[in-house]
Amino acid sequence: MKKSSYEYRHYNHAVGLSVIHLVWIPKRRKKVLVGKIRDRIFEIFSALAIEKDWNIRALEVAPDHIHLFVEIHPTDAIFQVIKAFKGRSSNYLRKEFPELKKLPSLWTSSYFFSTAGNVAADTIERYINDPHHG
């Protein structure tokens, strides 16, 4: 059996692995996440992850949805993580791409999340990175 590439992290008073799979869509499932907007999402998410000390394990930006697999701190609440990614990207993208202001908001308020253990993490990462899953 292949050894997992996910190692437990050591914190002040805890040891563990906290990874989540997030999926969300633009308002009205519009296919707006293309071209320069798509490229900019990668930049925004990378900068945010560095700032928060999160590790993006996999990211797929499809025209009408996002899959994000991210390793976070055990003290970070999932709703705060999704709020950070959706909030910052909406703010920046709507300023930089005026055509996105035609939507009442960039993202729906809904999202999917799933936590993953050490073994499942490898499986989810492979799924998101597989160009044939869609």
Side-chain angles (χ1 to χ4, degrees):
M1 189 159 128
K2 177 184 170 269
K3 184 180 183 306
S4 173
S5 62
Y6 291 84
E7 299 296 326
Y8 291 114
R9 289 179 63 174
H10 293 259
Y11 302 94
N12 285 341
H13 301 285
V15 177
L17 178 67
S18 185
V19 285
I20 52 175
H21 177 200
L22 300 167
V23 182
W24 69 94
I25 62 173
K27 196 76 165 181
R28 301 180 183 145
R29 193 109 192 203
K30 293 283 188 180
K31 296 185 179 199
V32 296
L33 310 178
V34 296
K36 291 182 180 180
I37 293 171
R38 179 183 182 278
D39 296 342
R40 188 69 176 108
I41 288 171
F42 282 96
E43 294 170 2
I44 293 167
F45 285 11
S46 293
L48 178 61
I50 290 168
E51 177 185 315
K52 300 284 190 181
D53 193 29
W54 295 334
N55 182 13
I56 295 176
R57 302 300 304 231
L59 173 60
E60 177 199 19
V61 180
D64 66 347
H65 69 278
I66 288 182
H67 278 278
L68 174 63
F69 193 51
V70 62
E71 186 177 344
I72 61 173
H73 291 268
T75 54
D76 295 327
I78 293 171
F79 82 92
Q80 292 170 322
V81 174
I82 192 78
K83 181 179 176 183
F85 282 108
K86 287 169 79 173
R88 178 153 320 166
S89 60
S90 178
N91 184 10
Y92 287 13
L93 291 171
R94 286 166 66 92
K95 283 180 184 170
E96 296 171 26
F97 301 95
E99 64 269 25
L100 295 176
K101 290 185 179 177
K102 293 176 186 169
L103 294 172
S105 61
L106 179 57
W107 307 116
T108 65
S109 57
S110 302
Y111 60 93
F112 166 85
F113 76 93
S114 177
T115 58
N118 211 3
V119 174
D122 278 332
T123 304
I124 293 169
E125 184 175 346
R126 279 194 310 275
Y127 168 78
I128 293 172
N129 286 327
D130 179 358
H132 301 98
H133 86 261

